[in-house]
Every structure is written in C-alpha cells, then in structure tokens.
Amino acid sequence: MTYQSLEQQHTAGVYPKRDLTLVRGKDATLWDDQGREYIDCASNQGVSTLGHGNEAVARAIYEQALTLLNCSEIFYNDRRAQFLDALCAVLPAPLQRAFLCNSGAEAVEAAIKFARLSTGRPNIVATVRGFHGRTLGALSATYEPKYREPFQPLVPGFSHAPYNKLDALAEAVTDQTAAVLIEPVQGEGGVHPATIEYLRGAREICDARGALLILDEVQTGFGRTGKWFACEHSDVTPDLLAMGKAIGGGVPMGAVGIRDTVRNLAPGAHGSTFGGNPLACAAGLASLAEMKRLDIPRLAAEKGAYFMERLEEVNVPIVREVRGLGLLIGIELKTKVAPYLRALQAEGVIALPAGLNVLRFLPPAVITHQQIDIVAEKTAKVLAG
Ligand SMILES: *Cc1c(COP(=O)(O)O)cnc(C)c1O
C-alpha cells in the first residue's frame, strides 16, 4: 500500500491534498518519496523561515528531549525563562511580557480574551479578507464565509471593517470595542500589505476610543517581511502581538506579546497544558539564535527584493499585479490559480494559493539566488501556458 492511500484511508478528510508525499528537507529544498527534488516556496505556510534541517535547532530539540520535555507553567523552568527573555528582546521594545501557547489560532484566542479582560468590553473589530485561524474565537475574527458558515453560531461581538480604509475603521470602533485585530500583511486573504497610514491611523483610533490594538503577526513575524515584525515598517506598536508559525523553528508553538497597557492579567485568568513547554522553548531559543546569526530579517528583505524584481519581469497577460513585503509575495492572476500551482509542482516548485486567484510565494529565507532564478523562470513558463 502506498503512503498516500494509507493516509487517505485514515485522515479526517478536511484538507485538500496535493498528489505529493514529502519525506525530507534541507534548507529550501524538499524531496518526495521518489527522491524527486523541489524548491520550497511555501515554508509550510510560513513555518520554515529558517529552512529545513537546521542543525542547531535539531540539536537543541534532541538535548532538551533528553533533559526535560514537559514542565507545567505552575513551575518555573530554565529554558522557558531564557526563551521569554530572548523573545522579548526581539519584540518591539514596549512588549516586555508574553503568554506562550501552541499555535497561531491559540495566540489569537488568548489575545481576544486578554483584550476583553483588560477593557471589560465585548466587541472585536477585525477586517474584510482577514484570516486568524480555525478555532471558534479566531474563526469569528476570520472573514472568509466558506470557513465560517458551516460553524454558526460563532462567538458574538465580532465585526469586519474593510482593510486599508481608515474611515470605515473609525466608524466601526465604538466605546464597546475591546480591540481592533489586524494583520500587517493579509496573508491567506490574498497578500495585501497594510499601508503605513492605515496602521498608524488604526493605532490613533484605538487610543482615542480606549480600545486595544492586536496585530496578528502569525505569518509576518520573525523576519518574514524584512523586519523582525512587520509592524516595525510603520513604527506602530500594538498592545497585543500574536505569533506562531516560525516562532519555534518548526516545533508547534504560539505566543502573544503583551504591553503594559493590557490590564487584569491575574493568576488563573488563562492557561494551556502544553504552553511554555521546555521542548518548544528550547527549539524557539535555538531558532532565535540562528535567526540572529543568519540575520534572517536582512536576508528576507534582500532576497524578497530580488525575488520581486525577477517576478516583475514575468511579462504575461494573465498577471494582474505582483505585490508583497519581504519574502511574502503574491502574484494576482486574472484567473484561478489552482492549475498553475499544479504545473509549478510538476516543474519542481512548491508554491501556495492566497484566495482563488493569487499565487503566493513564501520561501525559507535561506533560499539561494540561484533557486529564486529557477522559480522565476518556471513561473514565467507555466503562466505563459
Ligand atoms: C496561519 C495563521 C493563523 C493560524 O495559525 P495556526 O497555527 O494554523 O492556528 C492565524 N493568523 C494568521 C495571520 C495566520 O497566517
């Protein structure tokens, strides 16, 4: 029996699957079970920013697994203390605390709960095309009707204002708004970067109305956009900053950065069995050290600019626009993206969709210029049809 039919027999069936069994990775290269090689321009939706098979991270995981895998947050732990310190050192300076959890959606859930707890207000204003995860609270903030509708009733108190429109946001935020929740670049929603004015304006609206600003940097954090966090492009500091994906160097982890404007976080207010476990903290600590050593934000800025240039040269009629920030790049097509993703895979390039008609590239920051050249060439070939 093949791995595909074995998995197909037992999987829940909720994922659209590609006809590909991946078994190994190194840096920005992946191999399938037939030994075929692929250039990774998906990074597991942004997880593998450091690339696959990073030895320092692997060693830290191995050593921590032998030492102490689990340690409930009712106790202190050496690795957790070190990780929190290292994390707060890369966060924008006013964020000096963090809550640790196990995924992006959990980070968003925690941020929503903290905002309600802090302000005593019920409502969350999210954005049209926003994506924040699949758990019921995060899903209530997510816009896409096909993700939401089968699961009604969702959590009350959520609304969606058009993205990058300050007038609409000013109208949506009231004295009952606990928080505004924004992605600095909408990833799943089609690779739409926020304008600097929009993020700065959102900060001002929140301050004027006594609401908190939550930035969802689950996809944009840890160097992806050319800065440690995408909010640094506009010098806007949120009250709560949701993280996930790349934070643990590939090990499941999430976190919320917390500013001292967030109140009422008392013992017993929130928790997670696996949150802050030493394994994830060791992986996160080693990843942060590697990201600093390799200067991942600079690599993402430099390679993102190069990649964007190469993609802008792809001069074919079905391309509407190339846009993005750092190594989070989208090509909006005038047509559906699915057949082109399959064609790219056949050419040895793994990319992602972002909505129905945007081709999304988010490679590991260790992708080489030569690999970028190959990806641009293959993209030009498949889009030319
Ligand atoms: C992926 C993602 C999430 C959800 O993260 P999970 O780890 O899948 O729960 C939330 N917000 C954004 C912006 C994301 O890209």
Side-chain angles (χ1 to χ4, degrees):
M1 190 177 268
T2 67
Y3 291 118
Q4 286 190 16
S5 60
L6 185 63
E7 192 171 322
Q8 209 50 51
Q9 196 176 331
H10 298 291
T11 184
V14 297
Y15 293 97
K17 295 267 199 193
R18 300 194 192 181
D19 179 21
L20 179 60
T21 304
L22 295 171
V23 295
R24 192 163 62 88
K26 185 66 193 166
D27 301 329
T29 306
L30 290 164
W31 286 269
D32 70 10
D33 58 346
Q34 310 297 312
R36 253 201 98 194
E37 200 174 298
Y38 298 83
I39 300 173
D40 182 8
C41 283
S43 297
N44 297 296
Q45 277 81 351
V47 170
S48 314
T49 303
L50 262 183
H52 303 281
N54 179 288
E55 283 177 29
V57 175
R59 209 168 298 117
I61 291 170
Y62 172 76
E63 279 164 14
Q64 191 60 44
L66 286 173
T67 306
L68 186 66
L69 271 178
N70 300 117
C71 175
S72 158
E73 282 241 24
I74 65 171
F75 304 106
Y76 294 95
N77 172 259
D78 51 355
R79 216 57 78 226
R80 186 190 304 131
Q82 290 174 314
F83 174 68
L84 283 169
D85 188 49
L87 178 64
C88 290
V90 298
L91 281 169
L95 298 159
Q96 276 308 306
R97 293 179 182 277
F99 172 80
L100 302 178
C101 50
N102 314 289
S103 68
E106 271 182 72
V108 171
E109 293 289 334
I112 292 167
K113 286 182 71 177
F114 294 167
R116 283 183 167 179
L117 193 63
S118 178
T119 59
R121 300 174 179 187
N123 294 342
I124 306 291
V125 177
T127 62
V128 172
R129 290 190 316 245
F131 181 88
H132 301 287
R134 308 291 201 125
T135 56
L136 284 171
L139 185 61
S140 304
T142 292
Y143 178 74
E144 176 60 46
K146 93 171 176 263
Y147 295 156
R148 295 166 57 87
E149 271 163 12
F151 303 102
Q152 306 281 0
L154 295 175
V155 179
F158 286 76
S159 63
H160 297 87
Y163 192 70
N164 268 341
K165 296 224 164 32
L166 277 176
D167 293 355
L169 188 63
E171 217 168 286
V173 177
T174 71
D175 64 0
Q176 288 304 299
T177 303
V180 169
L181 170 55
I182 298 175
E183 294 159 272
V185 182
Q186 290 186 321
E188 305 297 314
V191 190
H192 296 279
T195 63
I196 288 175
E197 304 80 65
Y198 179 63
L199 290 179
R200 290 188 181 162
R203 180 70 271 179
E204 283 169 18
I205 291 166
C206 287
D207 289 343
R209 309 273 161 85
L212 299 180
L213 177 64
I214 305 172
L215 290 182
D216 181 344
E217 296 236 22
V218 171
Q219 190 160 141
T220 53
F222 300 96
R224 171 63 51 193
T225 70
K227 304 262 188 199
W228 276 99
F229 294 93
C231 61
E232 293 167 41
H233 292 285
S234 52
D235 281 323
V236 166
T237 306
D239 302 288
L240 292 155
L241 191 152
M243 296 164 266
K245 297 211 162 105
I247 186 175
V251 170
M253 190 179 217
V256 188
I258 304 166
R259 199 168 167 173
D260 63 5
T261 47
V262 180
R263 308 163 71 89
N264 304 328
L265 299 182
H270 191 48
S272 160
T273 299
F274 285 120
N277 72 81
L279 181 74
C281 289
L285 186 61
S287 303
L288 284 175
E290 282 294 274
M291 286 177 177
K292 278 186 209 157
R293 184 180 70 81
L294 297 165
D295 201 348
I296 291 290
R298 187 187 54 79
L299 283 188
E302 192 259 307
K303 286 177 185 167
Y306 181 72
F307 202 167
M308 194 90 106
E309 253 171 54
R310 299 304 318 269
L311 290 176
E312 272 160 0
E313 290 162 14
V314 175
N315 198 358
V316 289
I318 63 162
V319 172
R320 183 170 285 145
E321 189 184 23
V322 181
R323 57 174 179 255
L325 195 60
L327 279 176
L328 173 46
I329 299 173
I331 304 183
E332 185 170 326
L333 304 181
K334 294 173 187 159
T335 167
K336 289 197 174 144
V337 75
Y340 300 103
L341 285 170
R342 278 195 294 275
L344 274 175
Q345 183 175 309
E347 295 284 341
V349 174
I350 296 176
L352 288 170
L356 282 181
N357 63 346
V358 177
L359 187 56
R360 180 173 38 150
F361 297 98
L362 54 166
V366 295
I367 191 170
T368 63
H369 290 92
Q370 194 196 355
Q371 286 177 310
I372 291 173
D373 290 342
I374 295 170
V375 172
E377 183 193 308
K378 302 289 189 192
T379 303
K381 179 176 167 193
V382 308
L383 292 182

